[in-house]
Amino acid sequence: MKGAEARKETRRKVEQSLGRRRRKELSFRILGVGATALGVTFLLVFFASLIAQGASAFMQTYVSLDVEFSREHLVPDGEPDLQFGDFDALVRGALRAQFPDVTGRSERRELARLVSVGAAYQLRDALADKPELLGTRLAVFLPASSEVDMLFKGKIDRSLPEEQRRISDLQLEWTDRLVAEGRLERRFNRALFTNGDSREPELAGIRGALMGSFYMLLATILISFPIGTAAAVYLEEFAPRNRWSDLVEVNINNLAAVPSIVFGLLGLAVFINWAAIPRSSPLVGGLVLSLLTLPVIIIASRAAIKAVPPSIREAALGLGASKMQVVSHHVLPLALPGMLTGAIIGMSRALGESAPLLMIGMVAFIVDIPAGFTDPATALPVQIYLWADSPERAFAERTSAAIIVLLGFLLAMNLAAVIMRKRVERQW
Amino acid sequence: MASPEFNKLQAMDESQNKLRQQGGETSARPTTNGAVRRPPASREAAPGTTVGQVRARNAFLTAEDVNVHYGDIHAIKNVTLEIGRNEVIALIGPSGCGKSTFLRCLNRMNDTIESARVTGRIMLDGQDIYSKDLDPVALRARVGMVFQKPNPFPKSIYDNVAYGPRIHGLAADRSELDHIVHKSLDRAGLLKEVKDRLDEPGTSLSGGQQQRLCIARTIAVNPEVILMDEPCSALDPIATARIEDLMDELSENYAIVIVTHSMQQAARVSQRVAYFHLGNLIEVDETEKIFTNPRTKLTEDYITGRIG
């Protein structure tokens, strides 16, 4: 009888506590859902604003003008001269033909500013492609200046007084006339992907920074992945456990937390001043970023090696495999996916770094597109920083566009790494 | 250092406590025990206090005065034991008594544990396996090992068996390697079950098949001695029976040292049994003698289920 009483009491207590436990679980779930939702919301807001701001940068306004490739301007001494031919005069002439009523000197200068300074180069390239154009008249789409571009995209407030606008009343009127004639057209902004940096927003492109980042990350992965994994394998499989190895471990963990600008200073002192590697080059950037990613790769690789079951090592040792064979035949293949994950994390971090690059001269205004590891270059995050700092209205949307490109680069890189990891995982 | 050895130490303490309690109820025993355990006139049992026949007919693997320390822990104390050619010897004893440690001395697997220190002499066919000129890699090709948990490589069945011959360069060409793989699988009694799916992963087999795969992998290197560390502890009775049959067949060609917790298994497969207790080798004798007429109280307690 007493046993039954006690059992009843136990059951009552368990049931009593049940409600409390359920409430706890429920509140934790609500908290979790809330946190996730908040995170997703921030992400969506971020992407939405980025796309809203940057999408228009992928289009550029073009003006359709009838250009006469006049011999007068292009053939100064008998031969068509691509270098010294006055292509600007062709653009000016086409604009005057379009607006015959504009006569004043300063008005004509204003008129010329409707079209990008890059228009002359476009005409030169066209002539270089087709010499038979000489002496003909042709309707050509020329890039509009960034002010006209902004106006056409509706990003300039017409109601502002003239002196507060980047576009004058006259230019406004001419632009409206062009619109009315259907001579303005939005086209895909190829310049954004083919050009290097420029002071003129409509000519500024991301390619220089993209290639700079590409070469820099290539250098980083080529340097840091072999060194990092070799260090991890040595520390995990071969190094004796003593005070020295403990010291090394503590130092590696601390290095992972060192502010990146410190690595930039180190790179400046060692790689540029002492080793005399050309500054602003992807090579020196890659070296500095390697220092930055090495601890990350080493730590992740060591964790991956540690996770390889000891029974596999014992099995191989028991068959008479040497230490090196155990590592290369069994430990490395099994740890490789984890090592790759570490490399992805390290590379993602390296791609987004700008602070150390400021110290090694990669913040410069560089127009040429780097074609190798030692050409002067800049990187995507630095380019974003430079554009965000520029006063022209058109750079605002290009900044967002550059961020979108950077995120795309990151996505492509991670995707490649994930595919690679899947492949080695399946292979085991 | 938190290590498996530390856990072993704790296990040792536990069994020691149990022993003390037993000592309480049988207080008169130490003297009788001492009398029984007093070494015979021959010098065989002098190191440690081992009773019985530590010497084997046709000895092949000889351990002489072996001591193992893990840091400050004295895991194996003065063990002397001979293992004969084509003999199956079972090492039994409670958890943490050092039988696995002793087994791992025989192919120098303890080398991988940094704190382990092995003293004494272990001779394989007249050669000191701890001498400086002997590479443990060469030794382990001669002394194969099968582990407690089946541990096939995450590779195909074929590659599992071919791994040893490959690293040692035993096969001149592919057809020779095929032959070794097939022969080894056949001798491990696995060929019939897997011959149509040699390229499937070894881990896709059942537990018993995996363990036989591990045995096939071991004999593919053609060792002289096979060490088995509780090879059936993770298997069901049917798989266990198959492995025991297999051991019987293998003993025609190999010396087998098996660590087991199952007295029945020891009785079924071995010709001799060695009983370890707290790092001491207490008693060694022919299997029948150990199980029917143990000479020490400790052995008797263990085999009747009072320790361990």
Side-chain angles (χ1 to χ4, degrees):
Chain A
M1 229 28 233
K2 217 178 169 192
E5 273 300 298
R7 224 169 276 150
K8 223 175 176 176
E9 178 66 14
T10 309
R11 225 159 68 196
R12 199 184 56 76
K13 277 184 181 160
V14 168
E15 259 153 37
Q16 221 175 21
S17 72
L18 228 53
R20 202 179 58 232
R21 284 187 254 178
R22 282 201 200 115
R23 274 196 302 281
K24 258 193 181 158
E25 192 183 316
L26 187 71
S27 57
F28 184 78
R29 276 181 184 213
I30 291 169
L31 212 68
V33 169
T36 313
L38 195 70
V40 170
T41 313
F42 277 133
L43 199 70
L44 287 180
V45 167
F46 170 62
F47 278 128
S49 79
L50 205 58
I51 290 168
Q53 290 248 347
S56 56
F58 292 102
M59 304 302 274
Q60 159 72 29
T61 309
Y62 281 78
V63 192
S64 167
L65 290 175
D66 299 323
V67 179
E68 185 176 359
F69 288 85
S70 73
R71 291 177 188 275
E72 178 197 340
H73 294 297
L74 299 180
V75 191
D77 19 72
E79 281 281 300
D81 191 335
L82 288 177
Q83 203 178 348
F84 293 108
D86 195 352
F87 289 93
D88 279 320
L90 300 190
V91 179
R92 282 199 303 270
L95 278 168
R96 273 180 220 167
Q98 186 65 40
F99 298 101
D101 50 323
V102 180
T103 48
R105 204 180 162 76
S106 66
E107 273 113 48
R108 281 187 171 174
R109 204 175 292 144
E110 260 181 71
L111 182 64
R113 273 192 228 118
L114 288 182
V115 175
S116 165
V117 295
Y121 299 110
Q122 191 189 319
L123 291 180
R124 189 188 64 189
D125 291 346
L127 188 65
D129 267 0
K130 280 193 200 164
E132 67 268 22
L133 284 176
L134 195 63
T136 61
R137 208 177 152 82
L138 192 69
V140 184
F141 277 101
L142 295 174
S145 71
S146 67
E147 283 79 25
V148 173
D149 183 45
M150 286 292 102
L151 185 73
F152 192 55
K153 284 173 179 167
K155 296 203 170 178
I156 288 183
D157 187 358
R158 284 161 177 273
S159 61
L160 284 173
E162 186 177 10
E163 64 272 17
Q164 288 181 25
R165 268 188 261 120
R166 298 258 319 171
I167 193 161
S168 68
D169 283 343
L170 270 176
Q171 284 173 324
L172 253 179
E173 188 202 318
W174 294 327
T175 310
D176 289 341
R177 273 165 64 185
L178 285 172
V179 174
E181 284 183 46
R183 286 188 175 269
L184 284 192
E185 197 175 308
R186 247 184 274 179
R187 297 176 151 204
F188 180 66
N189 188 1
R190 270 185 57 207
L192 187 65
F193 295 99
T194 54
N195 288 4
D197 199 5
S198 171
R199 292 282 179 233
E200 308 299 327
E202 73 275 7
L203 298 179
I206 197 82
R207 192 183 177 87
L210 201 63
M211 293 315 285
S213 273
F214 172 76
Y215 282 120
M216 200 166 66
L217 286 184
L218 194 65
T220 307
I221 190 100
L222 288 181
I223 295 165
S224 63
F225 191 67
I227 296 180
T229 48
V233 167
Y234 175 74
L235 288 173
E236 211 46 58
E237 297 284 333
F238 294 98
R241 294 262 182 282
N242 56 29
R243 204 174 301 166
W244 292 110
S245 59
D246 287 348
L247 193 73
V248 169
E249 182 160 357
V250 168
N251 269 305
I252 289 173
N253 291 343
N254 277 337
L255 276 181
V258 167
S260 53
I261 194 144
V262 177
F263 288 109
L265 278 170
L266 184 76
L268 176 64
V270 176
F271 297 136
I272 295 178
N273 286 350
W274 181 74
I277 297 170
R279 86 184 143 178
S280 307
S281 64
L283 178 61
V284 76
L287 282 167
V288 167
L289 293 182
S290 295
L291 296 180
L292 203 78
T293 49
L294 262 175
V296 179
I297 293 183
I298 293 176
I299 291 169
S301 298
R302 287 187 73 175
I305 292 169
K306 257 192 201 127
V308 173
S311 66
I312 298 292
R313 289 191 183 86
E314 287 201 318
L317 280 176
L319 281 174
S322 69
K323 190 95 195 168
M324 199 61 226
Q325 284 171 327
V326 173
V327 170
S328 59
H329 297 165
H330 301 286
V331 175
L332 275 185
L334 288 173
L336 203 55
M339 290 175 161
L340 281 176
T341 308
I344 297 172
I345 296 170
M347 286 298 111
S348 305
R349 193 184 157 192
L351 177 63
E353 274 304 341
S354 53
L357 305 183
L358 305 184
M359 304 307 301
I360 52 171
M362 295 193 83
V363 74
F365 172 74
I366 289 158
V367 179
D368 294 326
I369 291 158
F373 288 105
T374 48
D375 289 349
T378 185
L380 280 169
V382 177
Q383 187 69 72
I384 290 166
Y385 165 73
L386 286 174
W387 281 358
D389 217 25
S390 300
E392 285 87 353
R393 183 71 181 77
F395 272 125
E397 61 175 27
R398 277 168 176 76
T399 305
S400 293
I403 294 172
I404 293 173
V405 170
L406 174 67
L407 291 180
F409 191 115
L410 192 73
L411 205 70
M413 199 170 73
N414 285 359
L415 204 68
V418 167
I419 290 169
M420 227 155 75
R421 193 177 60 190
K422 278 277 174 296
R423 187 162 295 169
V424 284
E425 258 174 354
R426 219 178 309 151
Q427 195 189 22
W428 52 254
Chain B
M1 282 285 132
S3 62
E5 285 64 55
F6 184 73
N7 297 335
K8 273 186 192 164
L9 179 72
Q10 286 182 322
M12 273 187 221
D13 279 349
E14 275 170 32
S15 51
Q16 207 156 26
N17 286 339
K18 263 188 209 161
L19 205 67
R20 268 191 215 112
Q21 284 162 6
Q22 277 168 346
E25 43 186 81
T26 56
S27 52
R29 202 129 279 143
T31 47
T32 44
N33 228 357
V36 173
R37 284 220 255 158
R38 184 164 301 142
S42 67
R43 54 148 254 127
E44 263 95 342
T49 43
T50 308
V51 168
Q53 286 297 314
V54 296
R55 299 290 161 194
R57 263 168 285 145
N58 205 355
F60 185 62
L61 186 58
T62 316
E64 206 88 50
D65 273 338
V66 172
N67 282 278
V68 180
H69 295 259
Y70 291 124
D72 297 333
I73 303 156
H74 197 171
I76 296 277
K77 298 165 190 162
N78 290 323
V79 169
T80 296
L81 183 64
E82 279 185 355
I83 294 145
R85 257 175 239 277
N86 307 340
E87 178 182 54
V88 179
I89 182 164
L91 313 183
I92 61 170
S95 292
C97 67
K99 54 197 187 306
S100 287
T101 300
F102 180 70
L103 193 73
R104 293 166 64 93
C105 289
L106 301 180
N107 68 345
R108 290 185 61 175
M109 281 298 265
N110 282 331
D111 288 15
T112 58
I113 299 163
E114 227 164 280
S115 61
R117 205 172 75 248
V118 181
T119 58
R121 241 173 19 144
I122 301 177
M123 311 285 282
L124 177 67
D125 206 10
Q127 188 181 13
D128 184 354
I129 67 168
Y130 277 88
S131 93
K132 281 214 169 63
D133 343 314
L134 190 99
D135 193 332
V137 166
L139 171 71
R140 289 178 197 141
R142 296 174 66 189
V143 183
M145 189 159 190
V146 176
F147 297 86
Q148 180 172 3
K149 227 181 85 198
N151 54 356
F153 298 127
K155 296 177 189 289
S156 72
I157 294 170
Y158 184 94
D159 286 338
N160 259 285
V161 183
Y163 183 70
R166 269 189 190 137
I167 58 171
H168 297 301
L170 300 184
D173 52 31
R174 179 79 193 192
S175 67
E176 206 174 323
L177 191 61
D178 284 347
H179 177 70
I180 294 177
V181 169
H182 279 90
K183 197 180 72 187
S184 308
L185 282 170
D186 190 29
R187 277 160 93 182
L190 193 62
L191 187 62
K192 259 186 223 149
E193 291 155 65
V194 302
K195 68 167 178 285
D196 299 325
R197 45 181 183 137
L198 288 178
D199 49 354
E200 277 180 34
T203 40
S204 68
L205 298 172
S206 74
Q209 287 174 325
Q210 284 189 16
Q211 195 61 298
R212 276 181 282 147
L213 177 63
C214 292
I215 292 172
R217 182 175 68 184
T218 304
I219 57 186
V221 188
N222 202 13
E224 294 155 48
V225 182
I226 300 178
L227 310 178
M228 296 188 170
D229 194 352
E230 298 179 47
C232 302
S233 67
L235 305 183
D236 68 22
I238 298 164
T240 302
R242 296 209 56 163
I243 300 230
E244 285 175 7
D245 289 346
L246 184 58
M247 271 189 254
D248 226 30
E249 289 161 33
L250 292 177
S251 67
E252 286 169 23
N253 296 302
Y254 310 98
I256 297 177
V257 187
I258 174 172
V259 166
T260 177
H261 272 141
S262 157
M263 246 74 76
Q264 290 87 337
Q265 186 170 60
R268 283 192 297 263
V269 301
S270 68
Q271 283 103 56
R272 279 163 82 223
V273 170
Y275 173 66
F276 282 78
H277 188 90
L278 298 180
N280 291 304
L281 178 54
I282 304 297
E283 188 170 345
V284 188
D285 223 321
E286 275 158 32
T287 306
E288 197 169 321
K289 276 193 195 159
I290 288 273
F291 285 115
T292 54
N293 190 17
R295 284 203 258 172
T296 63
K297 174 68 187 157
L298 275 170
T299 313
E300 189 188 333
D301 282 352
Y302 181 71
I303 61 170
T304 53
R306 264 180 280 175
I307 311 178

